[in-house]
Amino acid sequence: AEPAPPKTAAELMAEKASATVAAAAVTAEPKGPKRVRRDLSTAQFWYYLDKEEKKQGPFYPGVVRDWYAAGYFPDASTKFGCSFVGEIPRAKDFEAISDLFSEPLKETAFQKIAAGIALYPVEAQASEVVAVTEQDMLNDEFSAERNPKWLEQSLQRMEDGVFSNKARPILKGSFVN
């Protein structure tokens, strides 16, 4: 077999460029830091983008789960963002439900919630409001019910004329004559 004719400079440069492009394609990595998705079950709050692309939220995970189950977000492309420590998600942090959860969405979306994450807001506890009239204040029986034991004892000592320096501050310095 006859040896191949020598390659021209243009052919050599074309081969080298082709090899370089192929090597770069194999070893190419995306520029910038890789985005690491946190465990969505630990999200404390959820936000969503409405039809006008405005952020709505924050909402507790149990509330969003109930809304999703009730069909309030029928479009799998509705975008959600989550908050892990009270931060408000940035626009780039919102993703479609179909990208956040695996199929079937009805069984996976907003279903897994980690222990210690509040599902719903704590209901405000109603405090008892007692109306007190002037007559109630004059009534010894009523006031005895409201006074703590230490106050009753202190008032009794004062009526008996027993005073103790332990119960009052001792003034020193220029305040005492």
Side-chain angles (χ1 to χ4, degrees):
E2 283 185 31
K7 295 184 180 179
T8 65
E11 290 174 329
L12 288 173
M13 289 178 60
E15 280 183 13
K16 186 175 181 180
S18 173
T20 303
V21 169
V26 170
T27 61
E29 292 186 19
K31 293 184 179 182
K34 290 184 180 179
R35 185 170 178 186
V36 177
R37 180 175 289 171
R38 293 179 66 175
D39 181 5
L40 296 178
S41 71
T42 63
Q44 292 185 11
F45 300 104
W46 284 92
Y47 293 75
Y48 72 91
L49 296 179
D50 63 16
K51 293 182 192 279
E52 287 81 37
E53 295 289 313
K54 290 184 182 175
K55 291 178 190 175
Q56 301 296 325
F59 300 104
Y60 283 85
V63 172
V64 175
R65 179 183 62 196
D66 294 348
W67 287 347
Y68 187 75
Y72 289 110
F73 305 108
D75 186 6
S77 66
T78 301
K79 291 185 178 183
F80 280 83
C82 50
S83 170
F84 295 96
V85 291
E87 75 280 13
I88 298 173
R90 298 168 296 189
K92 69 178 186 169
D93 296 330
F94 283 80
E95 294 183 54
I97 295 173
S98 58
D99 293 335
L100 291 171
F101 302 101
S102 60
E103 293 288 342
L105 293 175
K106 288 286 185 194
E107 295 175 16
T108 62
F110 309 106
Q111 295 300 313
K112 184 180 173 192
I113 299 172
I117 300 295
L119 295 175
Y120 302 98
V122 177
E123 296 298 323
Q125 297 179 358
S127 58
E128 181 184 352
V129 176
V130 179
V132 179
T133 65
E134 190 174 338
Q135 184 60 39
D136 290 332
M137 297 301 284
L138 298 174
N139 183 351
D140 284 341
E141 185 177 318
F142 178 83
S143 62
E145 291 174 10
R146 299 284 185 219
N147 290 341
K149 192 75 170 164
W150 66 267
L151 181 57
E152 290 178 35
Q153 292 170 348
S154 179
L155 292 172
Q156 185 61 48
R157 280 195 308 272
M158 287 176 68
E159 286 178 15
D160 294 343
V162 177
F163 297 101
S164 168
N165 281 339
K166 293 179 183 175
R168 290 177 278 211
I170 299 173
L171 300 176
K172 293 183 179 180
S174 63
F175 295 103
V176 179
N177 292 337

